[in-house]
Amino acid sequence: MRLRKMNLRISLPAVVLLAVTGLGPAAGERLLQKPAPAEAARQSAQPVSGATRTGTVESACNDGTTIRNVTDRTITYTICPVNKPEALQIRRIAPNAIDCFPAVSALEIEFHEGGKEITYSLDPGKPYAFRYEDESRIGLFLGSHGRSDAADLAPFVPTPGEIVDKMLELAGVTARDIVYDIGCGDGRIVIAAARKYGAHGVGIDLDKAKIDESIANARKAGVEHLVRFICMDATRADVSEATVVTLYLLTESNQLLRPMLEKQLRPGSRIVSHNYAIAGWESRQTVATSVKDEEGKSHSIFVYAR
């Protein structure tokens, strides 16, 4: 799924969009540019540790603004309430760590990447994540769940309907299939598989609100007897009954799930990934194609045979 990119300050030649899934969040959406904190405030700020390890986020921050580091690098950044540079802090966040801030006001965050100074505005109480935009460059994105007890696979970005249809078509879905969608969002993929092909389906998502939305959508579509939705960490799921698995995650998320899929899925199962190939499965790839949505945007679809 693809996510929403925030505002870039400084002299970037163009807005950098995350080349993701339907995390997925699909195209990136730029926020308004904000001025950087005052240099004097930066010089007077005292460094603090931002290495809140997974599993130790304070309960008091459950409703706060969270920043998660899903890269393999320790990142140094400065942060302060918008228009209050005197409250600036310097923080360092380790890989697989979460920083949390009380959701009192909008925040301004700044870090250096690729020799450039990048500034974002953060909305109160929202989750964010440092992620790789490509193989080496890091950006900050909206949409990670910010939870310390589960893997962060991708923020939600809906897959366009025509891309959903093409994914199911390329997977050769029939009424005999059981389609599992990992990171199901609003449930559209398994609902489409049930409505169009009569297939059974299971959607998995960590966001309870999305699971509730999926259940309501299945009821509206009249396929609630064919599908079910589970709120859980997908890395702990049992997908062994699946004959088709659909993904709209991120490259690193596909890598994380690959051993589980290899272990649990039966021979003959098909895996369909939107926008992101699964590294190491080149010999299993049966389809790699590009499809345009109604707005003319290209989407990659990869199909693998187990």
Side-chain angles (χ1 to χ4, degrees):
M1 291 165 260
R2 211 151 175 150
L3 15 85
R4 193 170 59 128
K5 182 72 189 288
M6 283 141 284
N7 59 303
L8 297 170
R9 207 175 60 79
I10 49 128
S11 56
L12 283 183
V15 178
V16 182
L17 300 182
L18 178 65
V20 339
T21 85
L23 20 357
E29 198 175 320
R30 195 173 37 172
L31 299 187
L32 294 178
Q33 180 174 322
K34 294 289 184 178
E39 184 63 29
R42 179 184 297 110
Q43 292 174 353
S44 63
Q46 297 300 311
V48 296
S49 172
T52 303
R53 283 291 177 183
T54 295
T56 62
V57 177
E58 300 87 344
S59 58
C61 270
N62 283 347
D63 297 322
T65 303
T66 56
I67 301 172
R68 186 173 189 137
N69 182 5
V70 297
T71 77
D72 59 1
R73 289 162 46 185
T74 295
I75 299 169
T76 300
Y77 67 91
T78 62
I79 192 163
C80 65
V82 170
N83 299 324
K84 292 186 178 180
E86 68 278 4
L88 182 144
Q89 297 180 18
I90 300 175
R91 300 184 70 89
R92 300 179 188 88
I93 185 168
N96 199 33
I98 298 174
D99 275 357
C100 192
F101 304 89
V104 177
S105 63
L107 299 171
E108 184 170 279
I109 183 172
E110 179 179 294
F111 63 99
H112 289 77
E113 180 64 20
K116 297 180 175 65
E117 187 179 77
I118 303 174
T119 301
Y120 297 95
S121 296
L122 309 186
D123 292 332
K126 294 290 184 67
Y128 297 88
F130 284 110
R131 297 182 181 278
Y132 286 110
E133 293 179 338
D134 52 32
E135 293 182 355
S136 60
R137 186 169 45 192
I138 292 174
L140 187 68
F141 295 90
L142 172 67
S144 68
H145 55 71
R147 283 176 49 175
S148 61
D149 62 342
D152 183 7
L153 297 180
F156 171 68
V157 171
T159 300
E162 55 273 28
I163 306 304
V164 170
D165 291 341
K166 196 64 177 180
M167 291 172 69
L168 298 174
E169 175 190 329
L170 293 174
V173 173
T174 71
R176 297 187 299 274
D177 282 308
I178 301 175
V179 179
Y180 270 63
D181 185 24
I182 297 179
C184 66
D186 58 12
R188 63 181 59 194
I189 291 181
V190 294
I191 291 172
R195 187 177 60 241
K196 188 170 183 177
Y197 299 100
H200 285 76
V202 178
I204 299 173
D205 204 291
L206 192 64
D207 188 335
K208 180 61 165 55
K210 286 299 176 186
I211 292 296
D212 292 342
E213 182 180 357
S214 295
I215 293 171
N217 289 341
R219 189 176 298 117
K220 291 177 184 177
V223 297
E224 66 269 26
H225 61 294
L226 293 175
V227 301
R228 59 191 174 95
F229 298 95
I230 305 171
C231 184
M232 70 174 300
D233 178 357
T235 65
R236 303 173 186 174
D238 180 355
V239 299
S240 57
E241 71 169 350
T243 58
V244 175
V245 173
T246 59
L247 307 169
Y248 189 8
L249 305 175
L250 300 171
T251 300
E252 63 268 24
S253 303
N254 288 348
Q255 283 287 87
L256 179 64
L257 291 175
R258 194 184 78 182
M260 181 185 84
L261 298 175
E262 290 175 340
K263 180 180 179 179
Q264 295 187 19
L265 294 181
R266 293 167 289 178
S269 301
R270 291 91 73 202
I271 301 91
V272 190
S273 182
H274 178 191
N275 273 353
Y276 294 96
I278 303 176
W281 273 12
E282 289 77 10
S283 63
R284 298 180 180 179
Q285 188 178 100
T286 60
V287 176
T289 189
S290 180
V291 180
K292 289 187 177 181
D293 61 23
E294 290 183 349
E295 297 179 353
K297 297 177 182 177
S298 293
H299 299 253
S300 296
I301 300 176
F302 304 93
V303 182
Y304 302 86
R306 175 69 179 87

